[in-house]
Amino acid sequence: MEAMPYSRPALIALLRRHGIAPTHQRLEIAQVLFARCQHLSAEQILAQVNERHAETSKATVYNTLKLFCERGLVREVIVDPKRVFYDPNTSPHHHMYNIDSGEITDIPAESLSLNAMPELPEGMVTEGVDIIVRVRTPDAVGQGRLG
Amino acid sequence: MEAMPYSRPALIALLRRHGIAPTHQRLEIAQVLFARCQHLSAEQILAQVNERHAETSKATVYNTLKLFCERGLVREVIVDPKRVFYDPNTSPHHHMYNIDSGEITDIPAESLSLNAMPELPEGMVTEGVDIIVRVRTPDAVGQGRLG
DNA sequence: TTTCTGAATTAGACAAAGTCCAATCATTGA
DNA sequence: TCAATGATTGGACTTTGTCTAATTCAGAAA
Ligand SMILES: [Mn+2]
Ligand SMILES: [Mn+2]
Ligand SMILES: [Zn+2]
Ligand SMILES: [Zn+2]
């Protein structure tokens, strides 16, 4: 795992190390992702990046997140059919998803593992194993839908 | 697991057993889902139901799939950010997802299990644990994107 | 410092999946 | 048979994400 890259120079170094040219927009997006290590959707990142004054377009946010994924800076988390979340933590771990609040939290890799890997069909290769623990707040059963 | 419900009377009984009024449209949709026990998206179901002659609207397909989920007749499979898949197999099992072809296949519950359940935060309740094995055909790396 | 060029960014049109609503229709118990 | 209750419908709408052609930028070279 990378050292905590809060400062501009550290973020620039981080992008460069991944073969990414450090433009202003990419640094803003990296800032948002790595400052607090949360799971954010593209639209949340767009909003946070443009909080003070508009400076990054929707297209660039999507382009950049795709690039960050390809270069292994972030990873996609697919738990909610409505949107993809982006995870700045690329080390192996799993997720707990609160279906009432939409909150995603990490489960350390050590605290949960499979007792067997499935045999793959001829010529297939594992890309990754996602484990998602879906949880609920029983109080919130009937209504409490958030997004 | 339910006995194979191919015939109309069997499908009607199945819906009734789950507290669902067996309308023509719901029976058509159940037919499509249970005939071949596949993982289908809403749009695929809509297309199959209206293959011979149009008889079911998009709104009804979505309404019905939601109802079937609530009543435990089918379950959602969330592996592809573009669409939800519906699984007529509600017994515990996991999934293998081919990220190149989009193909989803079942992994029997027995052949894959966790060596520990994570401790849940105060007052949370597990709704389910999804394990998704993402696989790839190495030949198809650079290009072979299908949807 | 200035120039140049490929790469990056952008606005806004577009697409796909899914939701919603008010009007209409069907099922079913009486 | 006949309401009344529940189900279905077309189509407008929303949200998330993609695409494109025009513009701007970063940074290497001079
Ligand atoms: Mn038919
Ligand atoms: Mn979508
Ligand atoms: Zn995570
Ligand atoms: Zn399945």
Side-chain angles (χ1 to χ4, degrees), chain B residues 93-109:
Chain B
H93 67 281
H94 303 294
H95 291 103
M96 186 153 78
Y97 179 61
N98 185 320
I99 62 181
D100 291 317
S101 69
E103 191 189 5
I104 299 171
T105 46
D106 283 345
I107 300 173

Side-chain angles (χ1 to χ4, degrees), chain A residues 42-136:
Chain A
E43 304 285 338
Q44 287 174 326
I45 291 165
L46 179 62
Q48 286 196 34
V49 156
N50 291 326
E51 212 156 63
R52 289 157 172 273
H53 52 285
E55 52 191 343
T56 304
S57 72
K58 183 171 67 154
T60 295
V61 169
Y62 280 100
N63 289 344
T64 299
L65 290 171
K66 189 172 161 229
L67 180 68
F68 282 8
C69 280
E70 284 165 6
R71 301 297 165 85
L73 249 183
V74 303
R75 108 209 244 197
E76 292 185 340
V77 178
I78 297 165
V79 289
D80 178 344
K82 285 190 147 36
R83 58 186 73 75
V84 172
F85 288 91
Y86 293 88
D87 189 344
N89 180 356
T90 55
S91 60
H93 68 281
H94 303 294
H95 291 103
M96 187 153 77
Y97 180 61
N98 185 318
I99 62 181
D100 291 317
S101 69
E103 191 189 7
I104 299 172
T105 46
D106 283 346
I107 299 174
E110 318 83 65
S111 82
L112 202 64
S113 79
L114 294 180
N115 65 359
M117 272 301 275
E119 318 102 65
L120 302 181
E122 197 58 54
M124 293 275 176
V125 140
T126 302
E127 189 70 9
V129 178
D130 294 352
I131 302 178
I132 297 142
V133 178
R134 289 173 197 277
V135 300
R136 201 165 32 87

